[in-house]
Amino acid sequence: MITTTVFYLTVVEIIVQQISYTSASNAPVILPEDATLTTIGLANKYGHPATRYDVTTEDGYVLGIYRLPGKGRIPVLLMHGLQDSSDSWLLRGQNSLAITLANNGCDVWLGNSRGNRYSRLHKHLNPDTDPAFWQFSFHEMGYYDLPAIIDTILNETGADNLTAIGHSQGTTMFFVLGSEKKEYNSKVNVLVALAPMAFVHNAPAPASILIQLSPLLSQLDREDGSSEVFGDNSTASTLIHTFCTTPITGYLGCVYGIIFPLLGYDPAELDPNFFFVAAAHYPSGGSYLSILHYLQVGYRKAFAPYHYGSDVNMKVYNSSDPPEYQLDQVTMRVALLSARNDRLSSIPDVLHLRRQLPNVVYYLENPRPLMNHVNYVWGLNMQDYLFPYIYSVLQNNHHNLTNMTTQL
């Protein structure tokens, strides 16, 4: 009863604030500048001009990655989550992780996985006309995208290895990489896994409902063919960006109706004004298969490559079921940072992952009770309840971050 009362009082307060805001101005609502800036624009605005590199993968995808140059001996690669992009690491400005690391001398690299707004290109396939372009999930991101990105960074910097910080899908890719391309384990100094995603056995509703629909959704995909989801030029994406940036209804509908039920309730850390910035950048596009693959993992309770159906599986894997990833072969150092209010990367699933990995050097259940899945990249006060733990891991793994505090 108390929780329900607090919920509705919060909603009323937000409505009053938004009505006051819109009533104070007779002009149409204008989005903040950061809602309109690209990764390069955001990096430039916050004092670290970025350089773009076009990286071509072994299977022909062209990925846009960005460098915020620094003097750090070990480069730091940040990999985004599902349907996200390099933008998210910059959206909180001076309080964002990318800018904070760059301010302290780190050589920061921002990756983009295939299919999002910065990596929607292929040497031979046209994403607008060739369905084959969208035949990928997190498996291909780990198997093809990460090796190309890592090799480019190491070649450009002359470093022997790099430190990786991944969020959600950005962690899944590294677990695939370490399992399938074992030689890359030594090229990762340490992986800081924020909201680690390998198992989704314990995700509650509404995610659990989608997981149970996985067989039906997979069958529909086999019948209709893979496609892009939420691309910048799609009707669905336009509707989402337009609705979610609408005062009052957009915030309530998108945050209270979708984000909080799916990823965890924490209104203090996702304020309406910032959400209008985030909603202009997210989602950034991707493949339908990428979403389906996670649902399959939850339904089959196995962290394994994509399940195409028995007949195709026999051709691809020489088995009716895809073989599970060998997590015991992921020998890179891994730091797992989890949260009790994360409804997608649940504590039981992260603990199951921890037992499978052979080289976990740090494990955290964030003490903030409302810490959720999006706070890792969008949280208002990340510098207080998250960054000190990240800095501690970096300092314990060959980074010199003298200007950063590791004290909570």
Side-chain angles (χ1 to χ4, degrees):
M1 179 63 183
I2 293 176
T3 301
T4 303
T5 302
V6 171
F7 173 84
Y8 283 112
L9 286 175
T10 303
V11 171
V12 170
E13 180 182 359
I14 292 167
I15 292 175
V16 171
Q17 290 176 347
Q18 292 291 294
I19 290 176
S20 300
Y21 173 75
T22 53
S23 297
S25 172
N26 294 323
V29 175
I30 300 175
L31 292 176
E33 180 186 40
D34 286 10
T36 67
L37 297 178
T38 63
T39 287
I40 286 182
L42 289 164
N44 289 348
K45 177 178 178 178
Y46 293 105
H48 293 277
T51 302
R52 176 178 170 122
Y53 293 76
D54 286 330
V55 176
T56 303
T57 67
E58 182 184 340
D59 59 343
Y61 286 80
V62 181
L63 316 175
I65 68 172
Y66 298 91
R67 183 185 190 182
L68 283 58
K71 297 180 180 179
R73 181 174 59 86
I74 304 175
V76 181
L77 168 64
L78 277 58
M79 285 304 306
H80 60 78
L82 181 67
Q83 285 285 325
D84 209 350
S85 75
S86 52
D87 295 347
S88 269
W89 300 109
L90 298 160
L91 293 183
R92 281 293 183 183
Q94 292 296 338
N95 290 330
S96 64
L97 183 58
I99 296 300
T100 302
L101 291 171
N103 283 344
N104 285 271
C106 291
D107 189 7
V108 178
W109 294 74
L110 307 177
N112 283 291
S113 58
R114 60 183 61 197
N116 79 3
R117 64 171 57 97
Y118 298 119
S119 300
R120 198 176 178 274
L121 188 63
H122 192 278
K123 290 173 63 178
H124 309 295
L125 300 174
N126 184 333
D128 295 320
T129 59
D130 295 325
F133 180 95
W134 301 104
Q135 285 283 341
F136 65 81
S137 71
F138 62 70
H139 176 83
E140 286 74 19
M141 296 174 192
Y143 193 86
Y144 294 111
D145 293 2
L146 281 183
I149 291 171
I150 290 172
D151 288 344
T152 297
I153 295 172
L154 298 185
N155 288 337
E156 288 292 326
T157 62
D160 294 327
N161 54 33
L162 57 75
T163 287
I165 301 176
H167 174 239
S168 191
Q169 177 186 265
T171 71
T172 312
M173 298 164 62
F174 278 94
F175 301 141
V176 172
L177 175 71
S179 168
E180 300 300 294
K181 293 200 169 183
K182 302 172 183 59
E183 66 273 20
Y184 279 87
N185 282 293
S186 62
K187 297 185 180 184
V188 178
N189 170 50
V190 63
L191 167 64
V192 182
L194 309 177
M197 291 290 292
F199 302 102
V200 284
H201 301 356
N202 295 282
S208 61
I209 297 173
L210 295 173
I211 287 170
Q212 292 307 309
L213 292 174
S214 170
L216 173 61
L217 296 174
S218 297
Q219 179 60 37
L220 291 175
D221 175 68
R222 286 192 287 270
E223 293 174 357
D224 297 339
S226 297
S227 61
E228 181 178 18
V229 180
F230 304 129
D232 278 347
N233 296 323
S234 69
T235 301
S237 184
T238 300
L239 290 173
I240 289 173
H241 291 310
T242 301
F243 175 70
C244 289
T245 55
T246 302
I248 306 176
T249 54
Y251 182 77
L252 293 177
C254 295
V255 174
Y256 281 82
I258 300 173
I259 291 178
F260 286 164
L262 189 63
L263 305 178
Y265 174 88
D266 191 2
E269 289 297 300
L270 190 57
D271 52 289
N273 289 336
F274 171 77
F275 179 70
F276 294 149
V277 173
H281 289 268
Y282 186 93
S284 71
S287 73
Y288 184 47
L289 255 63
S290 296
I291 299 172
L292 276 182
H293 198 168
Y294 279 111
L295 299 182
Q296 286 186 358
V297 168
Y299 185 81
R300 300 181 63 244
K301 298 191 181 302
F303 183 47
Y306 192 82
H307 181 57
Y308 296 100
S310 298
D311 292 342
V312 178
N313 285 345
M314 287 299 298
K315 297 177 182 178
V316 176
Y317 310 118
N318 198 30
S319 170
S320 58
D321 292 311
E324 294 189 34
Y325 293 114
Q326 298 177 306
L327 287 172
D328 62 341
Q329 299 299 306
V330 183
T331 57
M332 68 184 73
R333 289 191 290 261
V334 179
L336 299 173
L337 279 66
S338 61
R340 285 168 284 176
N341 189 38
D342 190 333
R343 295 173 64 84
L344 205 55
S345 172
S346 69
I347 295 294
D349 287 335
V350 177
L351 289 174
H352 183 52
L353 172 63
R354 182 187 185 186
R355 290 189 291 268
Q356 305 293 315
L357 294 171
N359 198 9
V360 175
V361 297
Y362 182 82
Y363 173 76
L364 173 74
E365 291 181 17
N366 195 288
R368 187 172 187 278
L370 291 182
M371 178 73 180
N372 67 14
H373 199 76
V374 294
N375 285 351
Y376 292 98
V377 288
W378 291 352
L380 175 63
N381 297 293
M382 293 180 289
Q383 71 277 7
D384 296 329
Y385 57 75
L386 174 63
F387 290 1
Y389 299 113
I390 297 175
Y391 304 157
S392 178
V393 173
L394 297 187
Q395 286 184 325
N396 288 331
N397 289 275
H398 312 301
H399 285 271
N400 181 18
L401 305 176
T402 54
N403 295 327
M404 294 183 176
T405 177
T406 59
Q407 301 298 317
L408 288 166

